Amino acid sequence: MRLIQGNEACALGALEAGCRFYAGYPITPASEIMEWMARKLPALDGTFVQMEDEIASLAAVIGASWAGKKAMTATSGPGFSLMQEHVGYAAMTETPCVIVDSQRGGPSTGLPTLPSQGDVMQARWGTHGDHAVIVLTASSVLDTYVMTVKAFNLSETYRVPVVLLLDATISHMRENVELPELEIVERITEAEGGEDIFGNRAFFPFGVGPRKVVTGLAHDEKGKPETSRGQVGERLLKKALDRLYVDRDHIVSYKNYQAGDAKWLILSYGITSRPARAAVDKMREEGEKVGLIDLQTLWPFPDELVQSYSEKVEGILMPELNLGQLIMPAKAAIEGRAPVYPFNRADGKLFTPAEIIEAMREIMYNGKLDQTAILEQRRNGK
Amino acid sequence: MEPGAWSPLLMPKKGKSLERYLRMSQMPTLWCPGCGHGNIARGMLQAFDELHLNLDQTVVIGGIGCSGRTPFYSNTNAMHTTHGRALAFGTGIKMANPDLTVVATMGDGDTAAIGGNHFIHSCRRNIDITAIVFNNSIYGMTGGQFAPTTPQDKKSSTTVYGNIDEPFDIAELAMAAGASFVARTTTFDFQDTTELIKKGIQHHGFSVVEIITQCPTYYGKINKLGNAVDMLEYEKDMTFPEEDEPIDWKELSGQMPLGIFREEQRSEYTDRYRELRESQKSKTDVT
Ligand SMILES: Cc1ncc(C[n+]2csc(CCOP(=O)(O)OP(=O)(O)O)c2C)c(N)n1
Ligand code: SF4
């Protein structure tokens, strides 16, 4: 057992997963990840570079990945916004890389030290154009370690950028953990695509295999730009998305907390699942059949999972530290099978278990939820 | 594919065929007839030939622009990156695998506008990358808007009344930022183009080789500088070879000096990191 911080767990997970290149730019609340990597990488034959900004950081990470290293960066909202140009480049060039975004209140400089879940949509749709990307999150220090390893494994398996969403609280909180042994996916160097550079599960860095052409322009399997026949680029784009769709059972992780026989469900993710869990415990004590699904994979959105629960429950509460983001794909998956109630705040505070219980009971016994009333009343100390 | 469509400067009538160095599947080039970018690409490939570079271990990276297309035509590994950011990608490539030879082909807009930050920081770190700056004083790819290198009073599609901006001198900027090899020539001086690129690649540290080149399609046309040949003459008129005397950069009045302005041995970035790694291997507890 050791007492460690979320950001430290993230760095340890990355090193365990085989990450040997880190490039980044300091920002609260993510900086400790880079400080750990700067300390640990040299002795592991790895490389750390502090770049001039976040645009450069992700560029260097992509370059390093093509030079043969498992690579990552970490940032927070303002830096994540700057990285979007290269999230698109990584997607277009099928480059394995991991981007950690420890979310803080936004937009802009926002609430630099306070937690938020405001980057959920940006993580999926932040760069221009359709693209394949995986987005994970974690609700504890241990999960941060596990999901960081998973982020690298998925990134190498599918050759996609993987975003791991943490937040100011998870990043800085300390918990006692026993780090588990986890399976590590090594870079895939043999697959059906033969020597194709793109649309191939195998990934050969510069200096290995055929000489490569890598471009952010739409291109064919060999990397040749195809800017007038749009269907060529579309073909590879669909292939990348299909890979994630076909394998989504492997990609989707979540935690079922007393949701099996629940009549009322809390659907949450990240730090918000902590008070949600406490709320479930308390309500179960009182005999109320409430359960929690703690999502760890946000994109591809686990629509089948959410759909199947929506068929069994009478109502779903969706607390988020934003003004309603993941509820959009959730509602699309649920298609009216059960009522879904948003519960939102973007004031830099976490939900308390009591607030979640109150919201849940309003839904259960009144069939409605006036979320402002609950939050305002508590804010005013009534 | 008609041979006539190829840049004649890539496949000259005289001189050695560089076909081995060209990625034939990407021919013809996208460059306009008379564009100086072909001269520079030819110079670069000739430098590769004369240095006997291992093409499998060479990565040519480019930004976005007409100049940024060069990697496609070079039969090495090629990375066509994003506008202005080739050097940031290059830093990752070189730091992750210092055995690779990394050459960047960048436009003047690429280098000094959107990529200005990456440029000065690469100079400062002194990382062993050779940056070839294709300076045509304009944004070619996007249709002839002014660049941070466009001289005052010159016209472009966004300075139709004459440019009021102060231009950057890229070589001077590179020196101020700490590049350890800085040289400049023009496409008029083809021998120098090859020679300086060779020296830049051989130099262990960050090398900036700026080449003044012609964009007859936009810069030439709007400023009434004539065709490609007239523009080569114009390049000659606008420049002078550096004499032994030190240049007073502040006193330059429109004319640009050419030559090798700096060639000094300074500790290189990947070497410094390697030393740091060695020193830590014995000390750090690795868990
Ligand atoms: C982020 C971004 N902004 C703008 C552009 C559009 N753009 C493409 S090339 C270019 C300028 C090219 O000029 P230069 O770098 O001087 O190269 P040249 O084409 O003259 O060789 C611009 C503005 C882009 N591709 N990306
Ligand atoms: S637009 Fe100018 S820089 Fe671009 S290819 Fe044509 S001549 Fe060259």
Side-chain angles (χ1 to χ4, degrees):
Chain A
M1 278 292 219
R2 50 206 281 204
L3 183 67
I4 59 172
Q5 193 199 46
N7 280 344
E8 182 183 351
C10 179
L12 291 173
L15 295 173
E16 178 64 19
C19 175
R20 288 297 177 270
F21 186 95
Y22 185 102
Y25 191 81
I27 188 166
T28 303
S31 295
E32 294 84 3
I33 301 174
M34 85 185 289
E35 288 164 357
W36 270 96
M37 297 304 269
R39 258 166 77 176
K40 296 289 178 187
L41 278 169
L44 291 167
D45 258 333
T47 306
F48 168 85
V49 203
Q50 182 166 316
M51 295 299 288
E52 51 272 18
D53 59 31
E54 290 86 348
I55 306 174
S57 300
L58 188 50
V61 162
I62 296 168
S65 191
W66 279 95
K69 296 284 193 296
K70 288 189 183 177
M72 78 175 289
T73 184
T75 185
S76 185
F80 192 46
S81 293
L82 288 187
M83 284 180 188
Q84 293 307 325
E85 180 182 24
H86 291 152
V87 173
Y89 188 87
M92 186 57 119
T93 57
E94 302 176 24
T95 308
C97 58
V98 172
I99 302 148
V100 178
D101 171 15
S102 176
Q103 300 164 99
R104 61 192 228 183
S108 193
T109 310
L111 302 165
T113 59
L114 300 179
S116 151
Q117 296 181 312
D119 302 354
V120 169
M121 279 295 174
Q122 193 192 5
R124 176 63 190 93
W125 298 112
T127 197
H128 58 282
D130 292 287
H131 60 281
V133 63
I134 293 174
V135 182
L136 309 175
T137 189
S139 61
S140 70
V141 171
L142 176 61
D143 284 357
T144 299
Y145 178 84
V146 174
M147 295 316 280
T148 305
V149 172
K150 177 154 180 153
F152 276 94
N153 285 349
L154 293 178
S155 183
E156 295 294 333
T157 306
Y158 301 103
R159 287 185 61 177
V160 280
V162 178
V163 178
L164 173 62
L165 291 177
L166 305 177
D167 66 79
T169 304
I170 290 278
S171 276
H172 287 156
M173 135 177 132
R174 283 173 196 280
E175 289 185 293
N176 260 322
V177 293
E178 186 81 65
L179 299 181
E181 284 254 352
L182 297 168
E183 189 206 339
I184 306 297
V185 173
E186 291 312 329
R187 203 154 264 197
I188 296 163
T189 50
E190 257 177 63
E192 267 174 28
E195 292 208 324
D196 279 352
I197 305 170
F198 302 101
N200 188 352
R201 298 282 285 265
F203 181 62
F204 310 97
F206 294 137
V208 179
R211 286 177 212 150
K212 275 152 280 282
V213 182
V214 182
T215 176
L217 288 170
H219 49 260
D220 67 9
E221 284 74 3
K222 303 286 177 207
K224 183 176 162 58
E226 276 287 0
T227 48
S228 42
R229 295 192 308 138
Q231 66 272 29
V232 175
E234 192 195 43
R235 179 173 78 213
L236 280 174
L237 167 64
K238 284 185 172 166
K239 202 165 175 178
L241 283 163
D242 279 353
R243 282 206 288 244
L244 303 189
Y245 187 74
V246 169
D247 273 11
R248 66 194 183 290
D249 285 349
H250 176 65
I251 297 169
V252 167
S253 357
Y254 65 96
K255 284 183 165 171
N256 170 337
Y257 191 68
Q258 313 226 29
D261 65 343
K263 282 177 73 183
W264 301 89
L265 186 73
I266 303 171
L267 185 59
S268 65
Y269 54 93
I271 188 67
T272 302
S273 295
R274 300 302 283 267
R277 217 180 144 101
V280 170
D281 286 342
K282 183 87 182 141
M283 294 180 82
R284 285 272 170 179
E285 272 172 28
E286 321 252 318
E288 292 163 310
K289 280 201 159 181
V290 177
L292 163 72
I293 293 290
D294 173 19
L295 297 176
Q296 295 177 303
T297 303
L298 304 186
W299 304 103
F301 185 75
D303 37 16
E304 286 190 343
L305 170 84
V306 171
Q307 215 175 72
S308 71
Y309 275 97
S310 70
E311 279 159 5
K312 295 191 288 192
V313 298
E314 292 182 25
I316 300 173
L317 177 71
M318 258 196 98
E320 299 183 74
L321 299 183
N322 57 47
L323 299 183
Q325 297 196 12
L326 203 71
I327 195 166
M328 295 186 219
K331 276 188 166 168
I334 292 163
E335 286 179 314
R337 288 181 187 85
V340 189
Y341 299 89
F343 195 29
N344 306 98
R345 71 191 312 164
D347 58 354
K349 291 199 178 72
L350 304 178
F351 287 105
T352 62
E355 284 162 349
I356 293 181
I357 292 170
E358 196 177 336
M360 203 58 187
R361 287 191 175 143
E362 251 200 70
I363 298 173
M364 290 161 62
Y365 305 121
N366 297 331
K368 65 179 175 59
L369 174 58
D370 181 351
Q371 48 167 326
T372 329
I374 297 179
L375 295 177
E376 282 305 320
Q377 172 195 334
R378 288 185 179 269
R379 246 181 232 137
N380 301 334
K382 282 183 213 145
Chain B
M1 180 196 335
E2 323 158 37
W6 299 11
S7 165
L9 295 154
L10 268 175
M11 301 295 289
K13 293 222 171 63
K14 281 193 274 184
K16 187 171 174 183
S17 163
L18 291 177
E19 201 169 311
R20 179 167 111 74
Y21 293 88
L22 285 174
R23 183 172 279 111
M24 299 309 283
S25 60
Q26 303 278 341
M27 297 293 136
T29 72
L30 130 165
W31 296 321
C32 309
C35 175
H37 289 1
N39 308 46
I40 304 174
R42 162 95 197 168
M44 179 185 84
L45 299 179
Q46 191 156 318
F48 290 178
D49 181 51
E50 292 177 18
L51 292 171
H52 306 293
L53 281 193
N54 176 345
L55 302 184
D56 291 323
Q57 296 294 321
T58 302
V59 189
V60 178
I61 55 178
I64 301 294
C66 302
S67 43
R69 291 282 173 139
T70 310
F72 288 121
Y73 311 136
S74 163
N75 198 12
T76 53
N77 292 290
M79 196 170 200
H80 179 238
T81 67
T82 51
H83 189 29
R85 325 229 180 263
L87 292 172
F89 284 86
T91 300
I93 297 170
K94 188 75 187 174
M95 286 298 277
N97 183 357
D99 293 338
L100 296 169
T101 301
V102 182
V103 177
T105 60
M106 328 192 301
D108 45 306
D110 236 3
T111 305
I114 193 163
N117 203 24
H118 312 309
F119 182 66
I120 56 174
H121 287 278
S122 302
C123 293
R124 172 179 69 79
R125 293 188 188 104
N126 196 35
I127 185 163
D128 189 15
I129 295 175
T130 305
I132 306 174
V133 182
F134 296 47
N135 183 355
N136 56 9
S137 313
I138 200 133
Y139 285 1
M141 178 65 93
T142 40
Q145 299 80 12
F146 81 101
T149 46
T150 307
Q152 271 191 338
D153 302 330
K154 285 289 182 236
K155 291 190 176 169
S156 73
S157 68
T158 47
T159 53
V160 283
Y161 310 114
N163 181 21
I164 62 163
D165 277 34
E166 291 265 3
F168 268 138
D169 180 312
I170 289 179
E172 190 187 3
L173 178 65
M175 282 191 283
S180 56
F181 180 93
V182 182
R184 175 161 55 206
T185 187
T186 71
T187 46
F188 179 82
D189 306 90
F190 180 71
Q191 293 305 336
D192 284 356
T193 300
T194 307
E195 239 4 82
L196 293 181
I197 294 174
K198 257 169 77 180
K199 284 213 159 77
I201 295 172
Q202 281 171 313
H203 177 78
H204 190 58
F206 191 67
S207 312
V208 178
V209 183
E210 180 189 358
I211 309 201
I212 311 293
T213 175
Q214 73 277 13
C215 170
T217 304
Y218 294 113
Y219 193 68
K221 190 162 181 210
I222 199 167
N223 287 298
K224 302 192 168 51
L225 298 173
N227 62 20
V229 178
D230 300 327
M231 288 189 79
L232 290 177
E233 282 297 327
Y234 175 74
E235 282 175 9
K236 195 174 80 167
D237 295 343
M238 293 306 293
T239 54
F240 64 96
E242 184 199 21
E243 306 296 326
D244 294 338
E245 280 165 50
I247 302 166
D248 186 348
W249 292 87
K250 293 214 168 56
E251 289 304 308
L252 298 173
S253 53
Q255 272 202 328
M256 282 187 174
L258 304 178
I260 297 175
F261 307 123
R262 181 182 290 160
E263 189 173 13
E264 67 182 29
Q265 288 309 323
R266 252 186 34 229
S267 74
E268 190 270 332
Y269 198 49
T270 62
D271 286 346
R272 291 200 298 275
Y273 198 82
R274 184 164 30 84
E275 284 159 24
L276 177 147
R277 225 184 242 151
E278 296 309 322
S279 73
Q280 287 311 302
K281 268 191 200 158
S282 42
K283 290 190 218 155
T284 318
D285 86 310
V286 182
T287 32

